[in-house]
Amino acid sequence: MPRIQQLPPSVITKIAAGEVIERPASVVKELLENSVDAGSSRIDIDIEQGGVELIRVVDNGCGILADDLPLAFASHATSKLSTAEDLFRVHTLGFRGEALASIGGVAQVTLQSRPAEQDCGAELNCHGGELAPVRVWNGDSGTRIEVRHLFFNTPVRRKFLRTTATETGHVCEVFTRLALAQPALHLTLRHNGKEVYEVTPPADLLSRIGLFFGAEVRDRLHVVEMEAGPAKLRGYVADPACERGNAKLQYLFVNGRWVRDRSLGHALQEAYRGLLMTGRYAVAFLFVELPPDQVDVNIHPTKAEVRFRDGQAIYHLVLTAIRDRLRRENLTARLQLPLGSGQSMASGQWRVASTRPEVGSGQWAGSSAEKSQEHLGPSTADGSREGPSGGMERSEAAPWALSAPPPPGPVLPLTAPDTRPLPTASSLPSAHCPLPTTKAIQLYDAYLVLETPEGMLVIDRHALHERILFEQLKKRMRSGSLETQRLLVPEPVDLPADQAARTLEHQEALAELGLGVEDFGGGTVLVTTYPAVLGNRPPQAILRAVVDYLVSKDRLPNREQLLHDLLSLMACHAAVRAGDRLTAEEIAALVDQRDLAKDTHHCPHGRPASLLFSRHELDRQFRRL
Ligand code: ADP
Ligand code: MG
């Protein structure tokens, strides 16, 4: 039976390496961080076979003194910290003095370096943790490090490596993060002798984003910039039309370091709430800067996570900066067709592009806050959008708002009942009513097509109506003026016992929405009141929809999310359905409301509510330009 024994230091090094050095990309990350910390302005990276055979990083940084070379490979040896307190003022990317020791333990490493002020440099080999004698080396000033045969002495780890393409992909990702974080750096990456990337300064972030992610992303970005206390946020967020199926294009940097952060990822998604469908992710490049003592970088072996001293403040900063920015933007999706051959059109290569791309400036400075404010100008000018004394309320009701008794014909409660006077069409700013709304054409009893100064606008009636109702309901709920209708006879709804219990747990939140529920015992729930906006939809059906929602959640969302989801559910139920034919008056009211409500470009579930086929695009397609 084997005995327990003290591991030799070379083995300990390998075990430690297991945590930090997982794959070639981890080596590249550590070496690049060292080059950046050394103040380099240029870094050249060569890899072979995805980095498994060779990783070479050459920089023009400060170099390492010959006498210090062996120390560079020693575990817990670093030039970046000296005391424990220094851990709370880390301003370099590395600080643990572990990386070179770990890499040296699992590969064959040659480290060559010459500080600029030294006539002669030195070289040292470290093979699987074994150091060779230091030798003279006469190379350029800076540091050159070659890592060969990664995991040569740990076959199990080597077996876990993926295909060359996958490993190269990981290296490219590390490269991308650095290039985005440090636009002043000149960086090159070659794989098997072929250039993969060369990024040169002077570069602004936008052009780097364009290089890595293409014009398709670059041209749909909006600048965000905001400060809160000692923290600063700057960066770009993409138009919702640029959404993705995963969060990979959500880049977050804290003090120049790429990090993952669930909480800030959540803040970002939260800022896009109502603009993205479930399971879709925003694209963003965010940079948080704050004093080093406000962030702990020493919590994760690969330094990929940090802990903020005041996490809530940073969460709030990210959420408000992005949400406010998106609110100021006209997010109506634009259709673009490839020009030319009928064949490419037949292949269905339509794409939805952003409106108002904010390209060209390429600078963090000159955030378009003021400019965007102007964008809201026309509608705020006459106070009809958000007048301090309930201007919004006045403008909410449409000529055909549901009031008791319901009007004959299709009953569409476009707005919650409201008897206050309405603004006349002529009181609306002309920019918003450029043309008589009768010009709207109804298509398939589902869409409206409208002529606008910008182009041909196609509206999804249901999605738009849903958004309008949602915004009105929300506003009224917040001001406590949500109208409810009391049922003369409470309506009993039979549910499985657990569903009844779930529902009653949320009695209070539901009451806030105007949906009164009471326990009748035995799995029966009584509906006593319901939101008046739901007019003539059967209360029983509303409650069942709410219950379906509640039981579909494994973990209940927070209160704000719950109210949001339930309001959008109600708005959805109350909104005009495909197949309902609208009268000219109803169409006119719907279109007018579009200009008055917020975020009418998307329904509350994040589906687009309108698509713009711009005048320019029409002219282009018909070769009039
Ligand atoms: P850390 O970066 O945490 O200090 P490393 O093991 O990565 O630890 O590096 C050990 C030390 O070697 C560094 O503190 C630094 O002094 C030196 N070093 C490593 N790479 C370079 C480089 N490219 N240029 C200059 N010095 C370097
Ligand atoms: Mg390091």
Side-chain angles (χ1 to χ4, degrees), residues 30-31 34-35 37-38 59 62-64 72 77-80 94-101 143:
E30 294 295 337
L31 297 183
N34 283 343
S35 296
D37 286 346
D59 70 40
C62 65
I64 308 169
T78 175
S79 60
K80 300 169 192 175
F95 54 88
R96 292 206 176 119
E98 292 251 53
L100 285 188
T143 302

Side-chain angles (χ1 to χ4, degrees), residues 329-404:
E329 207 57 41
N330 175 7
L331 299 175
T332 304
R334 282 174 180 243
L335 279 179
Q336 274 182 354
L337 291 167
L339 247 197
S341 64
Q343 159 227 339
S344 61
M345 286 168 70
S347 68
Q349 289 175 298
W350 287 60
R351 77 185 184 92
V352 177
S354 63
T355 55
R356 307 179 164 271
E358 198 161 294
V359 283
S361 75
Q363 294 299 331
W364 294 111
S367 115
S368 53
E370 307 78 29
K371 191 173 70 198
S372 307
Q373 218 54 68
E374 278 165 29
H375 173 59
L376 286 182
S379 54
T380 45
D382 69 347
S384 61
R385 181 184 274 257
E386 275 174 308
S389 55
M392 182 70 181
E393 296 299 314
R394 275 190 287 108
S395 62
E396 273 175 354
W400 43 294
L402 172 65
S403 54

Side-chain angles (χ1 to χ4, degrees), residues 217-406:
V217 169
R218 185 199 61 204
D219 293 351
R220 297 200 238 177
L221 298 176
H222 308 297
V223 176
V224 283
E225 198 164 29
M226 197 180 255
E227 285 187 30
K232 285 196 189 90
L233 171 74
R234 61 187 178 90
Y236 290 101
V237 294
D239 198 275
C242 197
E243 36 105 89
R244 293 289 190 272
N246 57 51
K248 281 200 185 127
L249 260 60
Q250 299 185 346
Y251 284 86
L252 172 67
F253 300 86
V254 175
N255 290 349
R257 182 193 301 280
W258 175 89
V259 293
R260 273 192 300 264
D261 190 291
R262 277 172 68 101
S263 164
L264 295 189
H266 185 267
L268 169 65
Q269 285 294 113
E270 193 68 8
Y272 276 81
R273 193 201 278 170
L275 300 176
L276 296 174
M277 290 172 65
T278 313
R280 306 300 294 178
Y281 293 84
V283 170
F285 304 89
L286 300 175
F287 295 76
V288 176
E289 300 286 339
L290 71 182
D293 66 344
Q294 295 292 310
V295 53
D296 186 357
V297 287
N298 189 24
I299 62 165
H300 192 266
T302 64
K303 299 164 283 180
E305 285 169 27
V306 294
R307 192 184 293 124
F308 298 105
R309 185 172 276 190
D310 188 352
Q312 272 198 339
I314 310 293
Y315 181 94
H316 193 70
L317 172 65
V318 170
L319 173 62
T320 40
I322 300 174
R323 193 164 57 190
D324 293 358
R325 186 66 184 86
L326 292 172
R327 279 199 183 140
R328 293 199 305 264
E329 207 57 41
N330 175 7
L331 299 175
T332 304
R334 282 174 180 243
L335 279 179
Q336 274 182 354
L337 291 167
L339 247 197
S341 64
Q343 159 227 339
S344 61
M345 286 168 70
S347 68
Q349 289 175 298
W350 287 60
R351 77 185 184 92
V352 177
S354 63
T355 55
R356 307 179 164 271
E358 198 161 294
V359 283
S361 75
Q363 294 299 331
W364 294 111
S367 115
S368 53
E370 307 78 29
K371 191 173 70 198
S372 307
Q373 218 54 68
E374 278 165 29
H375 173 59
L376 286 182
S379 54
T380 45
D382 69 347
S384 61
R385 181 184 274 257
E386 275 174 308
S389 55
M392 182 70 181
E393 296 299 314
R394 275 190 287 108
S395 62
E396 273 175 354
W400 43 294
L402 172 65
S403 54

Side-chain angles (χ1 to χ4, degrees), residues 22-350:
E22 238 186 306
R23 53 177 10 129
S26 335
V27 175
V28 174
K29 172 180 184 285
E30 294 295 337
L31 297 183
L32 289 181
E33 289 188 353
N34 283 343
S35 296
V36 170
D37 286 346
S40 313
S41 60
R42 174 168 183 151
I43 310 173
D44 296 289
I45 307 143
D46 266 280
I47 61 170
E48 282 171 18
Q49 305 310 118
V52 179
E53 288 313 305
L54 170 76
I55 296 165
R56 182 189 304 119
V57 173
V58 180
D59 70 40
N60 61 357
C62 65
I64 308 169
L65 282 171
D67 288 350
D68 284 356
L69 275 189
L71 270 178
F73 282 110
S75 194
H76 298 295
T78 175
S79 60
K80 300 169 192 175
L81 294 179
S82 49
T83 68
E85 288 83 64
D86 289 344
L87 271 176
F88 298 98
R89 40 180 184 246
V90 174
H91 55 272
T92 45
L93 294 171
F95 54 88
R96 292 206 176 119
E98 292 251 53
L100 285 188
S102 302
I103 298 166
V106 292
Q108 298 167 354
V109 183
T110 302
L111 174 59
Q112 300 165 320
S113 195
R114 179 169 74 82
E117 60 278 9
Q118 303 285 320
D119 296 337
C120 183
E123 139 180 339
L124 176 58
N125 288 316
C126 178
H127 284 200
E130 298 294 328
L131 288 183
V134 176
R135 289 198 312 230
V136 169
W137 176 71
N138 281 315
D140 291 339
S141 74
T143 302
R144 187 175 189 277
I145 180 160
E146 279 186 4
V147 178
R148 291 185 184 274
H149 309 130
L150 184 64
F151 301 139
F152 77 101
N153 54 353
T154 51
V156 179
R157 298 201 63 75
R158 201 174 164 100
K159 251 197 349 229
F160 274 98
L161 292 176
R162 312 291 288 271
T163 61
T164 300
T166 303
E167 295 303 338
T168 307
H170 286 289
V171 172
C172 288
E173 180 60 25
V174 165
F175 183 91
T176 305
R177 290 171 188 167
L178 184 75
L180 293 176
Q182 313 272 344
L185 279 182
H186 184 162
L187 297 169
T188 64
L189 174 65
R190 280 187 303 186
H191 183 228
N192 295 342
K194 278 205 215 90
E195 180 179 300
V196 184
Y197 290 118
E198 167 152 23
V199 297
T200 49
D204 53 69
L205 183 59
L206 258 192
S207 54
R208 290 230 162 149
I209 292 173
L211 181 80
F212 290 109
F213 307 104
E216 186 244 350
V217 169
R218 185 199 61 204
D219 293 351
R220 297 200 238 177
L221 298 176
H222 308 297
V223 176
V224 283
E225 198 164 29
M226 197 180 255
E227 285 187 30
K232 285 196 189 90
L233 171 74
R234 61 187 178 90
Y236 290 101
V237 294
D239 198 275
C242 197
E243 36 105 89
R244 293 289 190 272
N246 57 51
K248 281 200 185 127
L249 260 60
Q250 299 185 346
Y251 284 86
L252 172 67
F253 300 86
V254 175
N255 290 349
R257 182 193 301 280
W258 175 89
V259 293
R260 273 192 300 264
D261 190 291
R262 277 172 68 101
S263 164
L264 295 189
H266 185 267
L268 169 65
Q269 285 294 113
E270 193 68 8
Y272 276 81
R273 193 201 278 170
L275 300 176
L276 296 174
M277 290 172 65
T278 313
R280 306 300 294 178
Y281 293 84
V283 170
F285 304 89
L286 300 175
F287 295 76
V288 176
E289 300 286 339
L290 71 182
D293 66 344
Q294 295 292 310
V295 53
D296 186 357
V297 287
N298 189 24
I299 62 165
H300 192 266
T302 64
K303 299 164 283 180
E305 285 169 27
V306 294
R307 192 184 293 124
F308 298 105
R309 185 172 276 190
D310 188 352
Q312 272 198 339
I314 310 293
Y315 181 94
H316 193 70
L317 172 65
V318 170
L319 173 62
T320 40
I322 300 174
R323 193 164 57 190
D324 293 358
R325 186 66 184 86
L326 292 172
R327 279 199 183 140
R328 293 199 305 264
E329 207 57 41
N330 175 7
L331 299 175
T332 304
R334 282 174 180 243
L335 279 179
Q336 274 182 354
L337 291 167
L339 247 197
S341 64
Q343 159 227 339
S344 61
M345 286 168 70
S347 68
Q349 289 175 298
W350 287 60

